[in-house]
């Protein structure tokens, strides 16, 4: 499999050291605070507009469910 991946144009092998130096994250013009995101009783995402992109709720959930 490694050989087939290296045949893809633009793919190269990087060292473990280089892998550790890679930083990532969410790019956004506004600061993203997922603590402001939540779910309502129908399972819909609540909070700022970015919550729709970066947060998910269970589809089967109601506040009236008792165990």
């Amino acid at each position: 499999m490694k050989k087939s991946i290296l045949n893809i144009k633009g793919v190269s092998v990087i060292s473990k050291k280089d892998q550790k130096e890679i930083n990532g994250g969410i790019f956004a013009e506004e600061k993203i605070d997922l603590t402001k995101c939540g779910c309502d009783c129908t399972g819909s995402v609540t909070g700022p507009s970015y919550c729709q992109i970066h947060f998910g709720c269970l589809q089967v959930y109601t506040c009236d469910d008792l165990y």
Side-chain angles (χ1 to χ4, degrees):
M1 182 168 165
K2 185 176 180 180
K3 286 185 179 183
S4 64
I5 291 174
L6 294 177
N7 290 332
I8 300 172
K9 184 179 179 180
V11 173
S12 61
V13 177
I14 61 174
S15 68
K16 292 276 187 183
K17 180 184 175 195
D18 290 339
Q19 290 177 30
K20 289 179 182 177
E21 293 179 11
I22 295 174
N23 293 320
I26 299 172
F27 172 77
E29 292 183 18
E30 61 182 303
K31 186 176 178 182
I32 294 176
D33 182 3
L34 295 180
T35 61
K36 295 181 179 180
C37 303
C39 301
D40 66 11
C41 292
T42 64
S44 298
V45 176
T46 60
S49 61
Y50 58 77
C51 292
Q52 300 291 326
I53 300 168
H54 302 288
F55 196 81
C57 297
L58 296 174
Q59 291 179 341
V60 181
Y61 176 81
T62 58
C63 295
D64 297 332
D65 283 348
L66 297 175
Y67 297 106

